[in-house]
Amino acid sequence: MNNKGVLVVVSAPSGCGKDTIIAEVLKKTDDAFVSVSMTTRAMRPGEKEGVNYYFVTQTEFEEKIDQGEMLEYARYGSNYYGTPAGPVRKLLNEGKTVILIIEVQGAGNVKHLFPDACTIFIIPPSFEILEKRLRGRGTDDNNSIIKRLEIAKDELARAVEFDYIVENDVLEEAVEDVITIIKAEKLKTNKMKNKLSEVINNA
Ligand code: 5GP
């Protein structure tokens, strides 16, 4: 499928700062939107319905899958996470940049569905720093942190499947890297074809 807009998929092990990076990217770009995912996990303190996620029950999530309303979904830990298809397709049709912040399995599914999606994997400077960041965040209990670190090892092993790898050591640099990648994506020949035809037709 050839979209008018640019579909950007960002994955990273939990605790790599992907949400912070993308929040900064959004402040500095005017036509980019982040897709709000649906999840069955419990809401964390400070999270808001419809902003961080659409929080639903397992039954509700499975209904959405059955109705074909999910662009992709995956199980992460013991919960479902997925991207509602409607808003993403609409924004891409309008020529907007849509950013999905999802785990690696979902990223692979999206790349399969949209081969021209741009996939970015964010890595920490070291595994030790990742563990420190996860513990410092104080949002998960020890068991959940151990589970997330195990998943992180598997995820890091799949980083080579992505188009780009960005290291999040200095936040501002990681943000600039992501902005640069998105800019370059918009200049790819298949995204510039309309502009090119316009110039040729008026020659
Ligand atoms: P968290 O519980 O920390 O918010 O998210 C856990 C993982 O699920 C993260 O890697 C996050 O990027 C991923 N995730 C969030 N939304 C989606 C989604 O819609 N689809 C998929 N496949 N993964 C998601």
Side-chain angles (χ1 to χ4, degrees):
M1 186 171 167
N2 195 2
N3 293 299
K4 281 201 261 165
V6 175
L7 182 58
V8 180
V9 180
V10 178
S11 290
S14 186
C16 279
K18 54 188 182 299
D19 295 302
T20 312
I21 293 173
I22 299 308
E24 289 303 309
V25 168
L26 288 184
K27 282 186 205 160
K28 296 182 172 187
T29 17
D30 50 14
D31 72 336
F33 296 82
V34 171
S35 155
V36 178
S37 295
M38 198 167 274
T39 184
T40 57
R41 87 146 158 74
M43 199 186 271
R44 292 186 187 134
E47 287 186 331
K48 287 200 180 94
E49 164 68 21
V51 176
N52 303 89
Y53 285 104
Y54 296 107
F55 295 92
V56 297
T57 63
Q58 183 158 331
T59 314
E60 285 167 330
F61 199 105
E62 285 168 352
E63 270 169 23
K64 298 280 179 199
I65 299 172
D66 292 345
Q67 289 157 3
E69 286 182 28
M70 306 309 283
L71 190 73
E72 62 75 36
Y73 67 93
R75 282 197 85 101
Y76 180 93
S78 48
N79 288 300
Y80 276 123
Y81 292 82
T83 307
V88 174
R89 291 194 189 279
K90 182 173 176 286
L91 287 166
L92 288 177
N93 256 326
E94 290 168 2
K96 304 284 191 327
T97 297
V98 184
I99 304 176
L100 309 185
I101 310 175
I102 62 180
E103 50 63 71
V104 289
Q105 195 187 325
N109 293 340
V110 172
K111 188 73 180 174
H112 191 71
L113 207 59
F114 300 89
D116 69 346
C118 160
T119 58
I120 305 174
F121 194 91
I122 294 169
I123 56 168
S126 71
F127 202 76
E128 200 187 335
I129 292 179
L130 175 64
E131 180 165 358
K132 266 194 202 143
R133 284 182 185 166
L134 266 182
R135 295 197 181 276
R137 171 165 102 163
T139 49
D140 296 279
D141 59 29
N142 194 43
N143 274 349
S144 160
I145 288 173
I146 290 168
K147 207 188 265 175
R148 278 171 191 267
L149 287 171
E150 277 309 307
I151 298 174
K153 276 186 200 160
D154 293 339
E155 288 177 327
L156 281 165
R158 292 188 61 183
V160 290
E161 295 167 26
F162 284 68
D163 298 321
Y164 298 92
I165 295 180
V166 169
E167 180 186 345
N168 184 15
D169 185 5
V170 178
L171 176 67
E172 293 73 29
E173 287 176 15
V175 170
E176 279 312 311
D177 286 346
V178 172
I179 290 174
T180 305
I181 293 167
I182 296 175
K183 271 190 190 157
E185 255 342 271
K186 288 183 184 168
L187 299 176
K188 282 225 169 124
T189 305
N190 70 347
K191 300 289 174 204
M192 291 296 287
K193 272 186 183 152
N194 285 349
K195 180 69 204 174
L196 178 65
S197 308
E198 199 185 300
V199 173
I200 292 172
N201 290 340
N202 288 319

